[in-house]
C-alpha cells in the first residue's frame, strides 16, 4: 500500500486550489486519489482488461443487467467533459478532473446526468451504464488518466489485474474508512490485536506476519475521512527504540513495521487528541 495515497487530497489541493481544475501550464502530478469502483456501494462488477484495448490500461466493467445501472464518480472532482460521439467511439461519456493531472473517464453511457463545470463528490451519480458508441454489448468503459495518459487502474488501493476478468465489490460511499488494516500492512499480515480510540475517532491495529516474524501497526481514522488531520501509529520492540509515523493524513497512519520474533512489543496510535498505548505484550 503506497503511503503517498494518504496525501491525495492535500497534494491535489496544493497543485490546483480552485475546484480541482487543472489549469494551463500546471502539469505537476500529485499522488493518485483513492479511486473507488464507479458503481453504488455493494454492487459487484467484473473488471475486464485485455491486450489491444484502446486506450491501453482501460477497464471494461461488465455485469448481467448493467444497462441503466447508476454510474458514479470514482473520486471527487469537477466535471470537465460531457460528450456524445453518437454510434462511434465512446458514445455518451463523461470526464471528471480530480486535480494534480488526474482524470477519470466513463464511456458508453445510456444517459448523462451532470454538466461541465459541476463539482461532484465521491459517489455522485454521473449517468447510467449502457451500450452507446462503438460497442457490441452493454458495459462501462473506465479510465484513470494522469496528464492525459491512461494508467493501470487501482480500485480502493487494489491493482486491477492485467490481463483478465476480476470481480470487485464497490465500497464507493459505503461510509467508514475505505482502507483495511491488512491492506495497509500488506500481504501476509493478520490482525492480532486492536484498540478502538475514544470518541469513535478511529482504531489502532497490531498485525503480525508469521513468515517474516514482523509486526506492523497502523491507525485507521473514522472521522474527517478524506481530509488531512492529525493521526499517528507507533511500534516499540522491547529493548529497541520506538518508531512512530505521525502527521496530517487523510485516512491512516503507518504502516510501522519491525521484526520481533519471541519479543514483547508496545504499540498504539492516536487520532487527534485520542490516543492509546499498550503495555509490553504479545511476547510469544
Amino acid at each position: 500500500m503506497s503511503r503517498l495515497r494518504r496525501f491525495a487530497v492535500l497534494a491535489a489541493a496544493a497543485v490546483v486550489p480552485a475546484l480541482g481544475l487543472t489549469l494551463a501550464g500546471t502539469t505537476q502530478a500529485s499522488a493518485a486519489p483513492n479511486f473507488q469502483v464507479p458503481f453504488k456501494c455493494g454492487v459487484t462488477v467484473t473488471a475486464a482488461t485485455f491486450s489491444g484495448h484502446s486506450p491501453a490500461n482501460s477497464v471494461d466493467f461488465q455485469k448481467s443487467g448493467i444497462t441503466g445501472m447508476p454510474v458514479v464518480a470514482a473520486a471527487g472532482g469537477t466535471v470537465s467533459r460531457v460528450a456524445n460521439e453518437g454510434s462511434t467511439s465512446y458514445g455518451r461519456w463523461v470526464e471528471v478532473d480530480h486535480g494534480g493531472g488526474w482524470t477519470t473517464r466513463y464511456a458508453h453511457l445510456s444517459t448523462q446526468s451532470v454538466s461541465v463545470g459541476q463539482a461532484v463528490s465521491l459517489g455522485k451519480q454521473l449517468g447510467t451504464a449502457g451500450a452507446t458508441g462503438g460497442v457490441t454489448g452493454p458495459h462501462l468503459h473506465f479510465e484513470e488518466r494522469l496528464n492525459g495518459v491512461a494508467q493501470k487502474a487501482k480500485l480502493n488501493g487494489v491493482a486491477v489485474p492485467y490481463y483478465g476478468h476480476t470481480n470487485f465489490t464497490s465500497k464507493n460511499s459505503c461510509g467508514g474508512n475505505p482502507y483495511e488494516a491488512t491492506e495497509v500492512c500488506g500481504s501476509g499480515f493478520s490482525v492480532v490485536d486492536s484498540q478502538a480510540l475514544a470518541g469513535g475517532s478511529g482504531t489502532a491495529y497490531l498485525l503480525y506476519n508469521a513468515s517474516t516474524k514482523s509486526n506492523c501497526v497502523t491507525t485507521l481514522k473514522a472521522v474527517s475521512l478524506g481530509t488531512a488531520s492529525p493521526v499517528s501509529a507507533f511500534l516499540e520492540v522491547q529493548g529497541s527504540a520506538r518508531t512512530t509515523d505521525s502527521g496530517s493524513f487523510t485516512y491512516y497512519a503507518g504502516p510501522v513495521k519491525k521484526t520481533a520474533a519471541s519479543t514483547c512489543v508496545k504499540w498504539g496510535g492516536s487520532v487527534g487528541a485520542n490516543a492509546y498505548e499498550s503495555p509490553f505484550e504479545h511476547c510469544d
Side-chain angles (χ1 to χ4, degrees):
M1 175 55 56
S2 170
R3 186 171 181 269
L4 289 175
R5 196 171 302 281
R6 296 172 293 159
F7 297 91
V9 173
L10 283 181
V15 175
V16 188
L19 296 179
L21 291 172
T22 304
L23 305 179
T26 57
T27 58
Q28 180 180 358
S30 73
N34 183 29
F35 291 122
Q36 299 293 303
V37 175
F39 291 91
K40 287 188 173 181
C41 174
V43 172
T44 298
V45 288
T46 300
T49 57
F50 52 90
S51 178
H53 206 167
S54 180
N57 300 326
S58 303
V59 177
D60 281 353
F61 287 108
Q62 303 170 345
K63 183 179 179 67
S64 176
I66 196 172
T67 299
M69 287 182 57
V71 172
V72 303
T78 303
V79 177
S80 48
R81 292 287 299 275
V82 178
N84 185 357
E85 312 293 342
S87 61
T88 64
S89 185
Y90 286 161
R92 293 183 179 272
W93 65 284
V94 170
E95 179 183 77
V96 177
D97 189 331
H98 306 284
W102 287 97
T103 58
T104 48
R105 288 186 174 184
Y106 313 76
H108 308 313
L109 302 174
S110 58
T111 65
Q112 297 146 298
S113 54
V114 290
S115 56
V116 172
Q118 180 178 341
V120 293
S121 58
L122 170 68
K124 170 68 176 178
Q125 184 167 336
L126 306 175
T128 55
T132 60
V135 298
T136 57
H139 66 276
L140 175 69
H141 175 98
F142 175 74
E143 301 170 27
E144 296 176 5
R145 289 182 162 230
L146 176 60
N147 295 328
V149 179
Q151 307 294 303
K152 287 190 174 181
K154 288 187 176 181
L155 300 169
N156 195 32
V158 178
V160 175
Y162 289 79
Y163 298 103
H165 291 68
T166 308
N167 287 343
F168 283 84
T169 299
S170 176
K171 297 182 180 180
N172 197 320
S173 300
C174 291
N177 196 312
Y179 291 98
E180 298 178 358
T182 50
E183 183 182 352
V184 174
C185 287
S187 178
F189 282 93
S190 299
V191 175
V192 295
D193 207 345
S194 64
Q195 177 64 47
L197 303 178
S201 56
T203 303
Y205 292 89
L206 174 67
L207 297 87
Y208 186 68
N209 186 320
S211 297
T212 62
K213 312 300 182 185
S214 180
N215 292 267
C216 178
V217 176
T218 181
T219 302
L220 302 188
K221 295 167 55 177
V223 296
S224 301
L225 294 172
T227 301
S229 63
V231 57
S232 70
F234 78 85
L235 176 60
E236 181 180 344
V237 178
Q238 194 164 28
S240 301
R242 176 177 298 189
T243 299
T244 302
D245 181 37
S246 64
S248 290
F249 304 136
T250 53
Y251 292 103
Y252 61 86
V256 181
K257 297 180 181 180
K258 283 181 171 290
T259 301
S262 302
T263 307
C264 303
V265 296
K266 184 181 290 187
W267 61 281
S270 65
V271 175
N274 302 310
Y276 170 74
E277 180 172 324
S278 80
F280 281 112
E281 57 185 5
H282 298 288
C283 304
D284 297 334

